[in-house]
Amino acid sequence: MRPSSLALQDRLLPGVSRTFALTIPQLPMALRPAITNAYLLCRIADTVEDSTAMAPDDKDAHYQRLLAGLNDVSAARKFSEALLDTGLIQDPLERDLIDQTPGVLRAFGELPVDQQAALQHCVTTMCQGMADFERLKDPYGLEDSGCLRDYCYVAAGCVGEMLTRLFAGIHPRIHEQREEFRRLSLAFGQGLQMTNILKDVWDDRQRGICWLPRDVFEARGIDLTQTQNWQDHPGYRDGIRFLVAVAHHHLRLAQDYTLRIPASEVGIRRFCSWSIGMALATLRKIADNPGYTASGEVKISRRRLGLIVATNNLSVGNDTRLRGVFRLSRYRLPCVQEQEIGPLLAGHDGNI
């Protein structure tokens, strides 16, 4: 990738994600440009999804223009101009990202062909899946657990698959076990996405969106379409604890994924273990206070983040120490048996 493209990516990344601006530099140099580019492309797609005032057909048109830009850099400017012309992108950092999309897509075209293929599959899956889910959005949640599982795949599971392809491209041992890594990557993505959904449930509701599966709560005596003040209902709080347990189950598989990565790949292990540690710490705060009504109530502190980073950095090069850190990170979290998870078990129905 050209120095000017690297510089553009490095400038844009901290503005749209402080977390990834911390974790991506931990990766081997051979992966950093591609994974930075992938995150920026996913964030560009998210900017379309987050525009709640935009009609589903209009969003679909923006997604298609973005996908066209993967193969034709001249089409990228059409995407930027059309999206900015809606007047719906108000955040200055997001406007800058959309304005610079042609440069991000130009950088994509400078990646090795095999890395381009992995990114293109991921971004295509995400854009097409988000377009489908746009028509299922509801302030009272998704219809059932299967819908949540499939949403987690298009929002995060496909990212796990992409990262696995990129990791396998630089390490023979990961390549040899790529199918097992791919299976675990779906759980990894779902665990992280479920954590984000739970953390942001009240912020999302203010935007007229809810990703909670209604069947989980109906089984506990609460109809999300009819009940006011969900947080006051015992069945709602029990449903939240169940979803925490399901996310916890998937993050345990994410820990298995991380331990399968050769200990010599300290950077990749850091990249994975930091995100798992932050997610588990968030789940613990949610489990301790399932009646929370704002994301700020369950957000982890900077001090906790620093502790997560420090303990993982001390242990990633040694399997025994890393297993110990992982056990401590799961302490006192709600658990669920795999057979109780049902349609929420990681994966997708193949129709996405």
Side-chain angles (χ1 to χ4, degrees), residues 79-351:
F79 166 81
S80 294
E81 291 174 352
L83 187 53
L84 291 173
D85 284 349
T86 66
L88 298 174
I89 311 301
Q90 298 295 323
D91 183 271
L93 293 173
E94 289 187 347
R95 287 186 65 84
D96 185 32
L97 177 63
I98 299 305
D99 185 58
Q100 296 298 329
T101 297
V104 176
L105 287 167
R106 191 177 302 111
F108 166 81
E110 296 166 5
L111 293 169
V113 173
D114 57 337
Q115 292 187 340
Q116 286 187 44
L119 270 64
Q120 183 154 11
H121 181 268
C122 172
V123 177
T124 301
T125 299
M126 182 176 289
C127 288
Q128 293 177 347
M130 285 179 173
D132 290 339
F133 272 97
E134 190 62 34
R135 292 164 174 82
L136 299 178
K137 283 183 177 178
D138 190 297
Y140 304 105
L142 293 169
E143 182 178 356
D144 57 38
S145 297
C147 286
L148 174 59
R149 175 203 61 215
D150 292 342
Y151 176 71
C152 286
Y153 174 73
V154 302
C158 64
V159 177
E161 290 179 320
M162 174 200 67
L163 290 171
T164 298
R165 288 177 67 175
L166 295 175
F167 296 162
I170 70 161
H171 202 290
R173 187 166 143 195
I174 299 175
H175 180 78
E176 290 168 3
Q177 302 178 52
R178 60 190 179 279
E179 284 307 311
E180 181 61 14
F181 272 105
R182 191 197 72 81
R183 182 186 71 82
L184 292 171
S185 76
L186 299 179
F188 201 149
Q190 181 159 325
L192 295 180
Q193 187 64 25
M194 287 187 68
T195 301
N196 286 334
I197 287 169
L198 290 167
K199 174 177 67 71
D200 295 333
V201 62
W202 294 103
D203 294 348
D204 286 342
R205 286 207 76 205
Q206 290 181 356
R207 301 187 300 121
I209 300 168
C210 179
W211 301 110
L212 298 179
R214 290 197 294 270
D215 60 340
V216 164
F217 297 91
E218 288 166 1
R220 290 161 175 78
I222 175 172
D223 183 345
L224 297 184
T225 67
Q226 301 296 323
T227 306
Q228 301 292 320
N229 301 318
W230 295 350
Q231 72 279 3
D232 296 333
H233 196 293
Y236 173 79
R237 296 193 295 271
D238 187 47
I240 291 294
R241 289 192 191 95
F242 172 75
L243 292 174
V244 166
V246 173
H248 173 203
H249 172 86
H250 288 87
L251 290 172
R252 290 188 71 157
L253 295 175
Q255 291 177 331
D256 291 345
Y257 179 103
T258 306
L259 283 162
R260 283 177 176 269
I261 295 166
S264 60
E265 291 291 349
V266 172
I268 299 178
R269 280 189 165 197
R270 282 179 183 164
F271 178 82
C272 294
S273 65
W274 288 11
S275 61
I276 296 168
M278 288 184 273
L280 289 170
T282 301
L283 290 178
R284 180 172 290 105
K285 296 201 74 169
I286 294 170
D288 289 345
N289 179 24
Y292 65 100
T293 57
S295 61
E297 295 177 44
V298 293
K299 184 178 180 181
I300 62 173
S301 67
R302 290 194 177 188
R303 181 176 178 276
R304 170 58 63 180
L305 174 59
L307 185 61
I308 291 166
V309 169
T311 53
N312 280 281
N313 284 356
L314 288 171
S315 61
V316 288
N318 180 283
D319 285 356
T320 301
R321 286 201 300 266
L322 188 57
R323 287 191 178 94
V325 169
F326 281 168
R327 278 195 299 271
L328 285 173
S329 69
R330 303 192 304 259
Y331 180 64
R332 287 179 51 247
L333 272 172
C335 295
V336 65
Q337 297 299 312
E338 185 169 304
Q339 58 268 28
E340 299 175 68
I341 295 175
L344 272 173
L345 198 61
H348 62 99
D349 65 6
N351 296 320

